[in-house]
mmCIF file of all heavy atoms in Angstrom:
data_model
loop_
_atom_site.group_PDB
_atom_site.id
_atom_site.type_symbol
_atom_site.label_atom_id
_atom_site.label_comp_id
_atom_site.label_asym_id
_atom_site.label_seq_id
_atom_site.Cartn_x
_atom_site.Cartn_y
_atom_site.Cartn_z
ATOM 1 N N LYS A 11 3.404 8.827 -3.209
ATOM 2 C CA LYS A 11 4.473 9.447 -4.027
ATOM 3 C C LYS A 11 4.867 10.794 -3.398
ATOM 4 O O LYS A 11 4.047 11.443 -2.782
ATOM 5 C CB LYS A 11 3.959 9.635 -5.493
ATOM 6 C CG LYS A 11 3.458 8.379 -6.118
ATOM 7 C CD LYS A 11 4.493 7.322 -6.352
ATOM 8 C CE LYS A 11 3.927 6.171 -7.045
ATOM 9 N NZ LYS A 11 4.631 4.949 -6.859
ATOM 10 N N THR A 12 6.153 11.165 -3.664
ATOM 11 C CA THR A 12 6.620 12.478 -3.308
ATOM 12 C C THR A 12 5.737 13.475 -4.103
ATOM 13 O O THR A 12 5.594 13.375 -5.279
ATOM 14 C CB THR A 12 8.089 12.654 -3.677
ATOM 15 O OG1 THR A 12 8.791 11.612 -2.939
ATOM 16 C CG2 THR A 12 8.602 14.012 -3.295
ATOM 17 N N LEU A 13 5.284 14.493 -3.421
ATOM 18 C CA LEU A 13 4.407 15.523 -4.063
ATOM 19 C C LEU A 13 5.048 16.889 -4.075
ATOM 20 O O LEU A 13 4.533 17.748 -4.740
ATOM 21 C CB LEU A 13 3.093 15.548 -3.333
ATOM 22 C CG LEU A 13 2.222 14.314 -3.368
ATOM 23 C CD1 LEU A 13 0.962 14.510 -2.522
ATOM 24 C CD2 LEU A 13 1.916 13.825 -4.709
ATOM 25 N N PHE A 14 6.084 17.099 -3.318
ATOM 26 C CA PHE A 14 6.650 18.465 -3.196
ATOM 27 C C PHE A 14 7.625 18.725 -4.331
ATOM 28 O O PHE A 14 8.393 17.908 -4.819
ATOM 29 C CB PHE A 14 7.420 18.576 -1.868
ATOM 30 C CG PHE A 14 8.067 19.883 -1.673
ATOM 31 C CD1 PHE A 14 7.294 21.068 -1.623
ATOM 32 C CD2 PHE A 14 9.439 20.005 -1.552
ATOM 33 C CE1 PHE A 14 7.937 22.296 -1.492
ATOM 34 C CE2 PHE A 14 10.024 21.241 -1.397
ATOM 35 C CZ PHE A 14 9.319 22.407 -1.369
ATOM 36 N N ASN A 15 7.636 19.992 -4.773
ATOM 37 C CA ASN A 15 8.537 20.572 -5.769
ATOM 38 C C ASN A 15 8.401 19.967 -7.161
ATOM 39 O O ASN A 15 9.374 19.580 -7.807
ATOM 40 C CB ASN A 15 9.961 20.452 -5.273
ATOM 41 C CG ASN A 15 10.896 21.394 -6.044
ATOM 42 O OD1 ASN A 15 10.453 22.478 -6.556
ATOM 43 N ND2 ASN A 15 12.144 21.043 -6.134
ATOM 44 N N PHE A 16 7.129 19.832 -7.581
ATOM 45 C CA PHE A 16 6.884 19.369 -8.945
ATOM 46 C C PHE A 16 6.182 20.490 -9.754
ATOM 47 O O PHE A 16 5.473 21.300 -9.131
ATOM 48 C CB PHE A 16 5.959 18.166 -8.928
ATOM 49 C CG PHE A 16 6.743 16.874 -8.727
ATOM 50 C CD1 PHE A 16 6.755 16.295 -7.489
ATOM 51 C CD2 PHE A 16 7.404 16.242 -9.775
ATOM 52 C CE1 PHE A 16 7.452 15.126 -7.233
ATOM 53 C CE2 PHE A 16 8.112 15.083 -9.533
ATOM 54 C CZ PHE A 16 8.128 14.473 -8.262
ATOM 55 N N GLU A 17 6.337 20.466 -11.041
ATOM 56 C CA GLU A 17 5.604 21.351 -11.899
ATOM 57 C C GLU A 17 4.774 20.510 -12.834
ATOM 58 O O GLU A 17 5.258 19.637 -13.521
ATOM 59 C CB GLU A 17 6.629 22.154 -12.727
ATOM 60 C CG GLU A 17 5.975 23.331 -13.457
ATOM 61 C CD GLU A 17 5.281 24.278 -12.520
ATOM 62 O OE1 GLU A 17 5.797 24.698 -11.525
ATOM 63 O OE2 GLU A 17 4.142 24.589 -12.903
ATOM 64 N N PRO A 18 3.409 20.653 -12.822
ATOM 65 C CA PRO A 18 2.644 21.507 -11.999
ATOM 66 C C PRO A 18 2.591 21.025 -10.591
ATOM 67 O O PRO A 18 2.832 19.854 -10.274
ATOM 68 C CB PRO A 18 1.280 21.450 -12.654
ATOM 69 C CG PRO A 18 1.236 20.133 -13.350
ATOM 70 C CD PRO A 18 2.646 19.867 -13.748
ATOM 71 N N PRO A 19 2.264 21.864 -9.614
ATOM 72 C CA PRO A 19 2.189 21.543 -8.183
ATOM 73 C C PRO A 19 1.171 20.465 -7.949
ATOM 74 O O PRO A 19 0.253 20.251 -8.693
ATOM 75 C CB PRO A 19 1.837 22.809 -7.510
ATOM 76 C CG PRO A 19 1.956 23.932 -8.482
ATOM 77 C CD PRO A 19 1.964 23.290 -9.826
ATOM 78 N N ALA A 20 1.290 19.777 -6.784
ATOM 79 C CA ALA A 20 0.389 18.731 -6.394
ATOM 80 C C ALA A 20 -1.015 19.301 -6.173
ATOM 81 O O ALA A 20 -1.136 20.457 -5.689
ATOM 82 C CB ALA A 20 0.875 18.078 -5.101
ATOM 83 N N THR A 21 -2.013 18.602 -6.606
ATOM 84 C CA THR A 21 -3.377 18.994 -6.437
ATOM 85 C C THR A 21 -3.902 18.470 -5.133
ATOM 86 O O THR A 21 -3.306 17.603 -4.454
ATOM 87 C CB THR A 21 -4.260 18.451 -7.599
ATOM 88 O OG1 THR A 21 -4.297 17.012 -7.435
ATOM 89 C CG2 THR A 21 -3.751 18.836 -8.884
ATOM 90 N N ASP A 22 -5.017 19.069 -4.631
ATOM 91 C CA ASP A 22 -5.667 18.574 -3.430
ATOM 92 C C ASP A 22 -6.042 17.116 -3.570
ATOM 93 O O ASP A 22 -5.947 16.350 -2.554
ATOM 94 C CB ASP A 22 -6.894 19.423 -3.137
ATOM 95 C CG ASP A 22 -6.557 20.766 -2.558
ATOM 96 O OD1 ASP A 22 -5.385 20.995 -2.224
ATOM 97 O OD2 ASP A 22 -7.483 21.611 -2.382
ATOM 98 N N GLU A 23 -6.454 16.695 -4.783
ATOM 99 C CA GLU A 23 -6.801 15.300 -4.956
ATOM 100 C C GLU A 23 -5.590 14.373 -4.699
ATOM 101 O O GLU A 23 -5.711 13.290 -4.186
ATOM 102 C CB GLU A 23 -7.372 15.108 -6.379
ATOM 103 C CG GLU A 23 -8.673 15.725 -6.611
ATOM 104 C CD GLU A 23 -8.615 17.178 -6.887
ATOM 105 O OE1 GLU A 23 -7.551 17.726 -7.294
ATOM 106 O OE2 GLU A 23 -9.661 17.910 -6.626
ATOM 107 N N GLU A 24 -4.425 14.744 -5.187
ATOM 108 C CA GLU A 24 -3.233 14.003 -4.926
ATOM 109 C C GLU A 24 -2.843 13.930 -3.487
ATOM 110 O O GLU A 24 -2.425 12.894 -2.960
ATOM 111 C CB GLU A 24 -2.095 14.553 -5.752
ATOM 112 C CG GLU A 24 -2.218 14.370 -7.258
ATOM 113 C CD GLU A 24 -1.121 15.084 -8.047
ATOM 114 O OE1 GLU A 24 -0.900 16.275 -7.767
ATOM 115 O OE2 GLU A 24 -0.569 14.455 -8.904
ATOM 116 N N ILE A 25 -2.977 15.023 -2.776
ATOM 117 C CA ILE A 25 -2.686 15.079 -1.379
ATOM 118 C C ILE A 25 -3.684 14.212 -0.584
ATOM 119 O O ILE A 25 -3.332 13.459 0.253
ATOM 120 C CB ILE A 25 -2.699 16.522 -0.844
ATOM 121 C CG1 ILE A 25 -1.607 17.382 -1.543
ATOM 122 C CG2 ILE A 25 -2.484 16.549 0.669
ATOM 123 C CD1 ILE A 25 -1.718 18.822 -1.253
ATOM 124 N N ARG A 26 -4.948 14.249 -0.989
ATOM 125 C CA ARG A 26 -5.994 13.453 -0.351
ATOM 126 C C ARG A 26 -5.752 11.979 -0.672
ATOM 127 O O ARG A 26 -5.913 11.133 0.267
ATOM 128 C CB ARG A 26 -7.369 13.851 -0.829
ATOM 129 C CG ARG A 26 -8.463 13.156 -0.038
ATOM 130 C CD ARG A 26 -9.856 13.698 -0.411
ATOM 131 N NE ARG A 26 -10.013 15.115 -0.324
ATOM 132 C CZ ARG A 26 -10.189 15.869 0.787
ATOM 133 N NH1 ARG A 26 -10.209 15.218 1.925
ATOM 134 N NH2 ARG A 26 -10.354 17.120 0.718
ATOM 135 N N ALA A 27 -5.324 11.594 -1.820
ATOM 136 C CA ALA A 27 -5.024 10.202 -2.147
ATOM 137 C C ALA A 27 -3.882 9.656 -1.310
ATOM 138 O O ALA A 27 -3.901 8.541 -0.791
ATOM 139 C CB ALA A 27 -4.740 10.022 -3.658
#
Side-chain angles (χ1 to χ4, degrees):
K11 306 295 182 202
T12 301
L13 299 177
F14 178 62
N15 198 28
F16 277 100
E17 191 57 47
T21 64
D22 283 351
E23 291 80 23
E24 290 172 311
I25 298 169
R26 189 173 307 281

